Amino acid sequence: MGGNNLNTLVEEGTEPETETENRTISNNNYVPIVEEAEEKVEEDQESEDEEKEEPLDLSWPDTCRARLFYIILAPILFPLAFSTPDVRRAKWRMFFPVTFVMSILWIAVFSYLMVWWTETLGRTIGLGTKPEIMGLTLIAAGTSVPDLITSVIVARKGLGDMAVSSSLGSNLFDICVGLPIPWLISLATGKTILVDAQGMFCSVLMLFAMLIAIIVIIAICKWRMTKILGLSMFMSYFVYLAVALCMGLDVISCIFDEK
């Protein structure tokens, strides 16, 4: 009897310890879940704060830095402010189609001015016979600013796949839609368009090679946007730009060009 009582006491004494250990283990399992939930709530709050954008304010800034940017951006801000409804204001939200159409029209106007001024600059510095040089540098950078801004915005929200796909999709749209439409319009009006760029075929081959290299680099980085991925893309762009400029300036020749 004494042994049975002793065993009973031992079993009863061990049960609370076992229950305590189980509770400790379960609590430890819940800690990461709670932390992840808190992090998600914080991210949602940050995204909501970012989405709450204030309407455009054209009042004179207080700081010197803000005044400098105000003066630089004034030629763009004032035409947009007085011609495009600001849908961030409650009274203008119903006019979002007008805002969309006006935004496209202003992009067309600014693009025309950029090409005109870039062509004038190329003639001034002696590159009038090499328009492809200005196209590879200033025009390419200027037209990519909207893609850069949108990619940065979506990347900061954690949508890296959207940032990369939008960049690739926009370039495909430019090549497959942006080029054929004006060409077809010009041909319909009886105008002839001549495309003469030294090393064009080699540039297209390099473009495909760089696209394959970018896909390989992204796969090596395990489909994650890292600093190594960013530096690799920068280096790829500068290599392509250097080779394309050298062919455009006749420093090196493309093997597929006619002699």
Side-chain angles (χ1 to χ4, degrees), residues 18-19 22 26 38 52 58 75-76 87 116 128 164 174 189 200 212 223 240 244 250 255:
T18 305
E19 292 178 359
N22 292 334
S26 61
E38 291 177 352
K52 294 179 181 178
L58 295 178
I76 299 177
V87 295
W116 175 29
V164 176
D174 293 339
T189 57
M200 177 65 73
I212 295 173
W223 304 97
Y240 167 77
D250 298 330
I255 59 176

Side-chain angles (χ1 to χ4, degrees), residues 127 129-134 136 196-200 203 206 240-254 257:
L127 293 176
T129 59
K130 298 289 184 180
E132 65 273 12
I133 303 299
M134 307 305 293
L136 285 171
D196 184 14
Q198 190 74 15
M200 177 65 73
S203 298
M206 281 195 304
Y240 167 77
L241 185 63
V243 176
L245 289 178
C246 288
M247 287 191 297
L249 295 172
D250 298 330
V251 176
I252 60 176
S253 59
C254 179
D257 289 341

